Amino acid sequence: MNSDIILETREIVKKFGGIVALNNVNIEIEKGKITGLIGPNGAGKSTLLNVISGFLKPDHGSVVFKGRDVTGWLPHRICSLGLARTFQIVKPFLNFTVEESLLIGTLKKRSGSEAQELIDHVLEYFELDELRSKRCKELNVTQLKRLELARAMTTEPELLLLDEPGAGLNPSEASKFMKMIREINRKKKITILIIEHVMPIIMGLCENVYVLHYGEIIAKGCPRSVCKNKQVINAYLGEKW
Ligand code: ADP
Ligand code: MG
């Protein structure tokens, strides 16, 4: 495997009963870059993230992360190797405080004052400092989205998978959130795979884009070339792009 490739999927197939959610999906994620994953609802985007992060087992094919075949590994084990994710629908621990829910992520790799230092840094970085003692059920959507990202960061990932991080946010909140994501990539040198529907966001963030349609990759490349692709226009973008 090329050492610039941090993650690769090989011929992934995932079926749910009669539905073929992923049909022979091959993607490669370049280290240090932001890669986009787009496509219509039901295309298989979240399923692919679930397979990569170990939440679903593929029926066929393999996932190679940092040169190791991690197919079938449990999520926490893949996470320990340096892969973190956020969910399309946020999954907070409702009765935990913000600080407690961040502690869980750090404990795998750090303890005591080291863990606390990391949590303090992440709380400040994601502007959650003043909310540290609040219970998660008291947070609004924007705060929960920031917490979700913060929680992923406490595991100190090398690769971060984001499933529609902007969903549910208004345009100005979404744009601020995307700035945070770009900063995580640039300053903390974390590779990112992002699912997102808002095309200007994809255009602004990503160096590479994959397009899924009915479980198949129908195009890949830089955002500009993908936007000009006839099949992508017909399947997903429409003529306005
Ligand atoms: P996307 O994230 O691109 O909108 P999904 O990956 O959520 O698409 O879904 C792909 C297809 O797989 C859809 O037809 C969806 O209904 C189906 N699907 C996803 N998850 C499950 C599941 N747990 N059980 C049954 N069908 C599922
Ligand atoms: Mg989805």
Side-chain angles (χ1 to χ4, degrees):
M1 188 158 109
N2 179 340
S3 65
D4 290 340
I5 304 298
I6 190 168
L7 184 125
E8 190 181 344
T9 69
R10 297 179 185 156
E11 299 176 0
I12 295 288
V13 175
K14 180 69 197 175
K15 297 176 187 166
F16 297 107
I19 297 169
V20 183
L22 298 172
N23 191 8
N24 225 3
V25 172
N26 296 294
I27 68 167
E28 286 185 340
I29 299 181
E30 280 183 63
K31 211 180 208 166
K33 298 195 172 170
I34 305 183
T35 299
L37 179 61
I38 63 174
N41 278 329
K45 305 181 296 297
S46 294
T47 302
L48 183 58
L49 248 60
N50 286 333
V51 166
I52 291 172
S53 53
F55 285 79
L56 286 175
K57 278 192 184 154
D59 296 305
H60 175 84
S62 54
V63 178
V64 179
F65 177 48
K66 297 201 299 184
R68 294 176 74 172
D69 188 334
V70 299
T71 321
W73 285 26
L74 290 171
H76 72 266
R77 206 171 149 217
I78 299 180
C79 180
S80 298
L81 198 59
L83 188 149
R85 65 165 300 172
T86 64
F87 290 87
Q88 185 169 353
I89 296 160
V90 291
K91 296 187 172 179
F93 302 111
L94 293 174
N95 282 317
F96 282 35
T97 66
V98 166
E99 188 166 13
E100 283 163 354
S101 58
L102 293 181
L103 185 64
I104 297 163
T106 60
L107 285 179
K108 268 209 145 40
K109 291 184 183 160
R110 305 190 183 269
S111 58
S113 61
E114 268 193 10
Q116 191 59 50
E117 239 171 67
L118 177 61
I119 290 170
D120 289 344
H121 170 69
V122 167
L123 282 168
E124 194 189 326
Y125 197 85
F126 292 98
E127 298 172 18
L128 293 165
D129 217 358
E130 286 171 9
L131 302 170
R132 66 162 73 211
S133 307
K134 270 223 174 343
R135 297 211 178 274
C136 296
K137 62 185 171 197
E138 297 173 75
L139 304 188
N140 65 35
V141 177
T142 320
Q143 294 163 341
L144 282 174
K145 286 265 172 181
R146 289 211 303 270
L147 176 61
E148 175 95 345
L149 193 53
R151 195 149 61 93
M153 290 298 291
T154 57
T155 67
E156 301 175 81
E158 289 171 58
L159 172 62
L160 188 54
L161 313 179
L162 305 172
D163 197 348
E164 301 196 24
L169 301 180
N170 70 38
S172 89
E173 288 166 348
S175 133
K176 193 174 164 203
F177 205 57
M178 295 308 149
K179 267 194 198 136
M180 273 184 178
I181 289 168
R182 183 181 290 122
E183 233 181 70
I184 290 173
N185 168 252
R186 299 251 167 95
K187 291 201 181 144
K188 304 206 179 278
K189 311 268 181 250
I190 294 174
T191 309
I192 292 175
L193 174 65
I194 180 172
I195 297 176
E196 177 55 58
H197 280 294
V198 182
M199 278 313 284
I201 288 181
I202 288 288
M203 302 288 287
L205 274 182
C206 302
E207 284 165 275
N208 295 311
V209 178
Y210 282 90
V211 187
L212 254 185
H213 184 50
Y214 288 119
E216 297 192 7
I217 300 289
I218 58 166
K220 64 176 178 182
C222 71
R224 280 170 159 271
S225 75
V226 160
C227 283
K228 286 188 203 142
N229 181 303
K230 270 272 172 308
Q231 221 186 332
V232 176
I233 292 169
N234 291 336
Y236 179 52
L237 293 176
E239 284 300 334
K240 71 183 159 96
W241 283 93

